[in-house]
Amino acid sequence: MDFRQLTNKYGSPLYVYDFEHFKNQFNSLKDAFRGKKSLIAYAVKSNSNLSVIQQFGELGAGADCVSIGEVKRALKAGVKNYNIIFSGVGKRDDELEEALRLGILFINIESEAEMKRVEVIAQQLDVEARISVRVNPNIDPQTHPYISTGLHENKFGVDIESAKRIYIYAKQSAHLNPVGIHFHIGSQLTQLSPIKEASEKIANLVRHLKVLDINIKFFDVGGGVGIQYSDETTIEPYDYAQAILSTLSGLDVTIVMEPGRFLTANGGYFVSSVLYEKQNDGDKRFLIVDGAMNDLLRPSLYSAYHKIEYVTDANQSETSKGDIVGPICESGDFLGKDRDIPKDIQHGDLVVVHSAGAYGFVMASNYNTRGRVAEVAIENGESRIIREREDFSKVIELEEKFLK
Ligand SMILES: *Cc1c(COP(=O)(O)O)cnc(C)c1O
């Protein structure tokens, strides 16, 4: 990928997405479930750009959404309502109402209280709400605590006993139709065993429900398949599929997946330009670039490691350690710490952060009155802009009219 050419054309900093990579990731997962009923509901929150959602939609993906805004994005991008799922621990009444009016595939219920709200709203609208219950299987996903969701100590889902109560209640309700079951134990999973263990527990619950004449049609295994940021082991789609399928014998269900990071992370690059360099305390080296934590928050928020590539004429084998930092007034503003940086890197050289396609731009803010950067797609060797750079007038747009 010619990052120099791209920044010449679109400016810096910049997000660049390799749509071929997105497509290959999608197809590898789809192929792993070949011959089985399956739906890949792309987790829109990982990269919500309309053109990204559109591309997955064209490949046959549905959408897993965590706000009504995401549901509307998915529809706008061409995803069909019957392939859209609405998840999340705290859905407002107006969001539930709109989701029911839009006739999406199902709403993932995360608590008994939420089920009751959905029932009331469905009754008011005189519709039957298709629901799925998010079950918390209490399994340690062996990932970062901030992105672990499948333990009872996390806020997500309900325990198995509560889930049974919810299904029994929903079955006899005139306005609820329990069509699915859902679990999502965490993100950036690199081990298969927790996924398999969770799937087994939930499949057993499905069998139990069947005895009660509650027939689950959608077996939603969530997202969370990890990717390689540095040297993590990763899960192969084929092994992933086999692990899940092996738990489902005797069950006639459509397998729903909600991958985000797996589809988008490694197809994305965050490109920024070198501004200055300085040395504090005589030996601590800082490379100051024009990209910052407001553009890419993961390093600051999760101490996430991202591979960094330099586009420079400097000799890249002569390096010294240093931090790559942004211009924001926070010590936590960095893209990489203690990295090998070319010794004579120059003003204007490029620093390219890899694996930035997921949870990158979507977490961007206007902190320090910085406009959010442009997003560019690469497809069939051609580049095209898919989101304009925000200029100053855009950033102040919603405040300006209130000046006295
Ligand atoms: C965040 C999330 C996903 C996607 O997670 P990835 O790790 O990006 O695959 C899927 N389902 C739910 C319910 C989520 O909250």
Side-chain angles (χ1 to χ4, degrees):
M1 206 154 296
D2 190 341
F3 294 109
R4 171 59 69 199
Q5 194 195 349
L6 290 168
T7 53
N8 284 345
K9 187 162 178 188
Y10 301 105
S12 167
L14 189 67
Y15 271 97
V16 179
Y17 305 129
D18 176 357
F19 273 31
E20 300 299 323
H21 177 88
F22 290 174
K23 194 193 291 185
N24 292 339
Q25 292 296 99
F26 180 88
N27 287 334
S28 69
L29 196 56
K30 193 73 194 166
D31 286 350
F33 286 87
R34 196 196 306 256
K36 305 288 171 193
K37 288 182 286 184
S38 70
L39 172 67
I40 298 177
Y42 167 55
V44 167
K45 74 169 189 262
S46 79
N47 185 326
S48 315
N49 185 288
L50 287 174
S51 300
V52 172
I53 305 170
Q54 181 177 53
Q55 204 226 16
F56 286 121
E58 284 170 357
L59 294 169
D64 175 47
C65 302
V66 292
S67 70
I68 201 68
E70 287 193 354
V71 172
K72 291 198 276 194
R73 263 184 191 274
L75 287 168
K76 178 73 91 184
V79 178
K80 296 286 185 280
N81 60 344
Y82 52 79
N83 283 333
I84 294 177
I85 300 167
F86 187 13
S87 310
V89 281
K91 307 178 197 77
R92 296 186 310 265
D93 284 8
D94 63 291
E95 292 185 295
L96 291 169
E97 183 176 331
E98 198 160 355
L100 289 174
R101 283 189 198 281
L102 290 168
I104 63 169
L105 181 59
F106 55 77
I107 295 172
N108 267 328
I109 298 291
E110 297 230 14
S111 64
E112 217 154 341
E114 188 188 12
M115 174 195 61
K116 296 275 173 64
R117 283 313 302 163
V118 171
E119 186 185 34
V120 167
I121 294 166
Q123 188 170 15
Q124 283 162 1
L125 298 177
D126 195 25
V127 296
E128 190 184 66
R130 283 181 299 279
I131 62 163
S132 153
V133 179
R134 178 166 180 175
V135 184
N136 185 329
N138 198 24
I139 281 167
D140 183 355
Q142 297 155 27
T143 185
H144 192 288
Y146 283 13
I147 49 180
S148 144
T149 53
L151 282 169
H152 283 168
E153 65 198 61
N154 300 125
K155 69 178 173 182
F156 300 98
V158 299
D159 61 71
I160 289 185
E161 288 314 309
S162 310
K164 285 180 190 166
R165 280 200 304 277
I166 292 178
Y167 279 110
I168 290 167
Y169 181 94
K171 184 180 164 53
Q172 51 75 46
S173 165
H175 293 282
L176 296 172
N177 182 7
V179 295
I181 199 158
H182 174 229
F183 63 95
H184 171 77
I185 58 173
S187 205
Q188 185 53 14
L189 308 174
T190 55
Q191 307 290 322
L192 261 183
S193 52
I195 299 173
K196 184 167 176 173
E197 207 183 317
S199 186
E200 215 143 43
K201 272 196 183 179
I202 305 303
N204 284 335
L205 176 55
V206 172
R207 292 186 183 95
H208 174 85
L209 294 172
K210 210 170 160 185
V211 175
L212 304 175
D213 201 28
I214 297 165
N215 291 301
I216 299 298
K217 296 190 192 68
F218 298 98
F219 190 84
D220 184 345
V221 301
V225 176
I227 57 115
Q228 201 160 41
Y229 286 100
S230 62
D231 54 4
E232 299 91 340
T233 52
T234 52
I235 295 171
E236 287 302 316
Y238 176 83
D239 299 331
Y240 177 66
Q242 292 309 309
I244 290 163
L245 292 169
S246 71
T247 67
L248 294 177
S249 61
L251 295 177
D252 178 25
V253 288
T254 296
I255 298 154
V256 180
M257 286 155 269
E258 304 169 348
R261 189 189 315 264
F262 175 80
L263 296 180
T264 52
N266 275 338
Y269 303 85
F270 176 60
V271 188
S272 56
S273 306
V274 175
L275 295 175
Y276 312 105
E277 119 147 47
K278 67 191 240 181
Q279 215 102 2
N280 281 359
D281 261 358
D283 61 344
K284 177 87 182 175
R285 188 179 179 201
F286 291 98
L287 189 69
I288 301 158
V289 297
D290 61 0
M293 65 186 285
N294 76 297
D295 306 310
L296 177 67
L297 188 59
R298 296 189 76 260
S300 306
L301 183 63
Y302 307 118
S303 303
Y305 174 91
H306 285 255
K307 219 184 297 179
I308 286 175
E309 168 191 345
Y310 306 95
V311 180
T312 171
D313 291 332
N315 175 358
Q316 299 218 24
S317 53
E318 276 196 33
T319 62
S320 70
K321 296 275 186 203
D323 292 356
I324 296 159
V325 302
I328 286 190
C329 310
E330 300 276 348
S331 298
D333 178 25
F334 63 92
L335 298 177
K337 281 206 159 158
D338 211 24
R339 299 302 181 92
D340 294 311
I341 305 169
K343 272 190 171 149
D344 52 354
I345 195 163
Q346 298 295 314
H347 179 95
D349 285 349
L350 302 180
V351 169
V352 182
V353 180
H354 286 223
S355 312
Y359 309 105
F361 183 89
V362 285
M363 287 189 177
S365 75
N366 293 121
Y367 190 36
N368 282 207
T369 304
R370 291 164 54 88
R372 283 178 292 176
V373 308
E375 293 175 288
V376 166
I378 310 292
E379 202 171 8
N380 304 321
E382 305 272 317
S383 68
R384 68 187 161 97
I385 189 131
I386 56 173
R387 193 183 204 271
E388 284 172 27
R389 188 176 298 282
E390 283 175 0
D391 63 11
F392 175 68
S393 65
K394 198 83 201 162
V395 176
I396 61 164
E397 189 177 79
L398 300 176
E399 303 157 39
E400 197 179 11
K401 58 190 173 197
F402 299 111
L403 281 176
K404 282 192 288 198

